[in-house]
Structure formats: C-alpha cells, structure tokens
Amino acid sequence: MRFCISASLLLTFIFASCSIPNLDPSECSASRTVVREFYSYHFGNEMKASPNGLDARKRFLTPELFKRAGSAVEGTDPFTTGTTDIPKAFRAGECRVISTERAEYDVLLFWKDDTRTEQKTIKVQAAKVDDAWLIDKIER
C-alpha cells in the first residue's frame, strides 16, 4: 500500500513538472484569443466582402478597421489577401508586443488543392480598446 501511494505521488510530481510553461508575454496571451476567434469565424463563414458579412464581424474589429473594411471591393477578402484569392486555412503564429495595448501576429494563410500548395504570412495587429482586445490592422 505504501509503495502504491509513493509511486502515485512520484508520477503526479513527474507529470506536473513536465507541463509546458506559457512563454508568451501577457499582451500576447490576452490578445491571441481575439485573433483566433476572429479568423475561426471568418474562415467558417463567407469570406468575400459584403455588408452583412462585415456587420457580422464588427464585434471583433476596432471602429477604425470596421470603417476601412467597409470600403473593400465586393467579392474580395479584406481580412486575408485583399483579393479574390481566398485561402483555405489559417494559423495564428508568432506574436510581438508593440506596447501594453497593442500586439502584432504573424497569421499564416494556406492554400492546398490538386494544383497548388502555398503559404503566405500577413501581419495582424490587435489593440486593447476599453479593456477588450480587437483586430485593428492587417498588413499584407
């Protein structure tokens, strides 16, 4: 019985010591959620610019980006390539802290079909607005 308890405690200690620490700065940890949620929503719905599509994304965007995205050419994707070349998948990559209220992400875009396998990186900035992190800028 004593051996079972000791072995159990030892295994618990080993698994606890093997946990991966979060190395992201706090600004990255806090803002990563909005980047992932926004692009998950975006890729899960119609990605081409339309008034209804933009309204559905408003909750993720700063007022400035919402206004800029409203001038996108209909049929293009203002949140990835800015063109009609729509990617198939994304991944939120490396984060850099710009300030305590701004972080920048590498968002990787992927295309894969029978004739094409491609990856492109865009820069996405998240800004803290009234205690909420929102997507503020997209650079291609």
Side-chain angles (χ1 to χ4, degrees):
M1 178 73 164
R2 178 178 234 177
F3 174 75
C4 290
I5 293 173
S6 297
S8 175
L9 287 173
L10 179 62
L11 286 174
T12 301
F13 177 74
I14 289 171
F15 287 126
S17 65
C18 291
S19 66
I20 299 170
N22 183 359
L23 301 177
D24 264 349
S26 62
E27 293 84 359
C28 290
S29 296
S31 60
R32 187 175 296 276
T33 301
V34 74
V35 173
R36 284 184 182 158
E37 286 180 1
F38 171 73
Y39 278 101
S40 292
Y41 180 85
H42 186 60
F43 275 75
N45 293 281
E46 177 60 47
M47 295 170 66
K48 295 178 182 174
S50 72
N52 288 342
L54 183 59
D55 284 341
R57 289 158 177 77
K58 186 175 185 174
R59 63 190 162 116
F60 297 105
L61 310 174
T62 62
E64 295 81 13
L65 181 56
F66 180 78
K67 184 176 179 180
R68 289 191 308 268
S71 65
V73 175
E74 196 159 333
T76 64
D77 181 358
F79 303 111
T80 61
T81 63
T83 68
T84 58
D85 188 17
I86 307 296
K88 302 290 185 198
F90 81 96
R91 182 173 64 85
E94 182 182 352
C95 174
R96 289 168 296 288
V97 174
I98 297 171
S99 71
T100 57
E101 297 185 349
R102 186 170 288 276
E104 180 180 71
Y105 289 86
D106 290 339
V107 173
L108 288 76
L109 306 175
F110 302 98
W111 292 261
K112 184 165 176 67
D113 58 31
D114 292 340
T115 60
R116 179 180 183 194
T117 299
E118 187 177 340
Q119 174 181 320
K120 181 179 179 180
T121 302
I122 60 174
K123 306 288 185 195
V124 176
Q125 287 188 18
K128 193 173 186 180
V129 178
D130 298 329
D131 292 327
W133 285 93
L134 301 171
I135 306 295
D136 185 51
K137 188 175 183 182
I138 299 165
E139 295 178 3
R140 294 170 189 88

